[in-house]
Amino acid sequence: MEVTASFWIGFNVFVLLMLALDLGVFNRKAHVVSVKEALTWSAVWISLALVFNALVYYWFGEAKAIEFLTGYLIEKSLSIDNIFVFVLVFGYFQVPAIYQHKILFWGILGALVMRIIFIFAGVALIEKFHWTIYIFGAFLIYTGYKMFTEKGTTIDPENNPVMKFARRIMPVTNELHGDKFFVKVDGKKYATPLFLVLILIETTDLIFAVDSIPAILAITQDQFIVYTSNVFAILGLRSLYFALAHVVDRFVYLSYGLAIILVFVGSKMLLVDIFKIPTFISLLVIAMVLIFSIVLSFVKTRRDNRMNNQGQ
């Protein structure tokens, strides 16, 4: 079965409906998202992705279903890097937990738009200029190498060029005004620090998209599969943040696992005209690396905690 316009329309209607339910019904009032609520919503989004994966299998066959699942796993694992940034940004600006959901909602909505542009541009480039796949592959290997050799995630909002530009073109209040992005003071419109946080969230996601989109293009250039797997991963990112924010520091080896995944998919791109690695093998490799890095991380942190307790 071919992907027709009805598939695109139906999926986007579903996305808009879920976003409307999220903001207009379930999160109509600002509140602190509990770990239990976040875990529940994470389970909901993962379940929806798996249900959609089953529909892809029914509509388009086993190969496309494996491509979707592999792409979803790549995007989901790479999105954990976003969570590290969210923690740092919210901590730097001292954003109260009650306002974080609204920022992430609009931030993720903007991320969806940017990902759509990146996906269609990337697929079009590869289809028209096949050699660009080698550039994407080399870039992913380089990114993986940098991620493996550079320790820790750092962020300096004050020296961020986008933040500097934003402060230059608009006045910004020194304090928060509830969950508002803009306020009027003495008849003059000001941006609030929350708006600066939103800008920083959007720009960092743009940077992450530069890594994640080429990574999934190594698995498939089917626009519908790339788009839908990206959307499901991003829609579940907000709940994943609230579920993992308090334990994110325990994933000490995850960055190494993500680096290995990027090098692997980059190598897959470089070898595409010599030897095409089956998507099922890619799925197994990515899943095993991800699971192994997470398990090792928890083993190390548990051992370190035990040693610290014995030392006391």
Side-chain angles (χ1 to χ4, degrees), residues 42-58:
S42 292
V44 168
W45 284 118
I46 292 172
S47 298
L48 287 173
L50 294 177
V51 169
F52 185 79
N53 195 192
L55 291 175
V56 170
Y57 179 86
Y58 176 75

Side-chain angles (χ1 to χ4, degrees), residues 287-306:
M288 288 176 63
V289 170
L290 189 60
I291 293 170
F292 192 61
S293 60
I294 291 174
V295 171
L296 274 183
S297 296
F298 278 101
V299 169
K300 183 181 187 306
T301 52
R302 180 174 290 184
R303 185 183 61 189
D304 290 347
N305 289 336
R306 189 185 304 121

Side-chain angles (χ1 to χ4, degrees), residues 13 21 28 73 78 149 166 171 214 290 294:
V13 168
L21 285 172
R28 193 173 181 180
L73 190 59
L78 290 176
T149 55
L290 189 60
I294 291 174

Side-chain angles (χ1 to χ4, degrees), residues 234-246:
I234 293 173
L235 288 177
L237 179 58
R238 187 175 60 257
S239 54
L240 190 63
Y241 162 77
F242 288 110
L244 299 180
H246 300 294

Side-chain angles (χ1 to χ4, degrees), residues 2-69:
E2 293 184 1
V3 178
T4 61
S6 59
F7 284 103
W8 287 97
I9 294 170
F11 183 77
N12 284 300
V13 168
F14 162 76
V15 171
L16 292 174
L17 179 62
M18 292 302 295
L19 290 173
L21 285 172
D22 188 330
L23 192 63
V25 179
F26 297 111
N27 295 286
R28 193 173 181 180
K29 294 181 180 179
H31 68 286
V32 178
V33 179
S34 66
V35 174
K36 181 180 178 181
E37 180 184 352
L39 288 173
T40 301
W41 272 105
S42 292
V44 168
W45 284 118
I46 292 172
S47 298
L48 287 173
L50 294 177
V51 169
F52 185 79
N53 195 192
L55 291 175
V56 170
Y57 179 86
Y58 176 75
W59 289 328
F60 309 116
E62 181 181 354
K64 292 298 180 183
I66 294 175
E67 287 178 2
F68 174 88
L69 186 58

Side-chain angles (χ1 to χ4, degrees), residues 158-174:
E158 291 302 324
N159 292 319
N160 184 288
V162 176
M163 297 293 283
K164 286 183 176 180
F165 179 72
R167 290 183 183 276
R168 196 172 294 137
I169 64 172
M170 69 179 78
V172 182
T173 62
N174 294 321

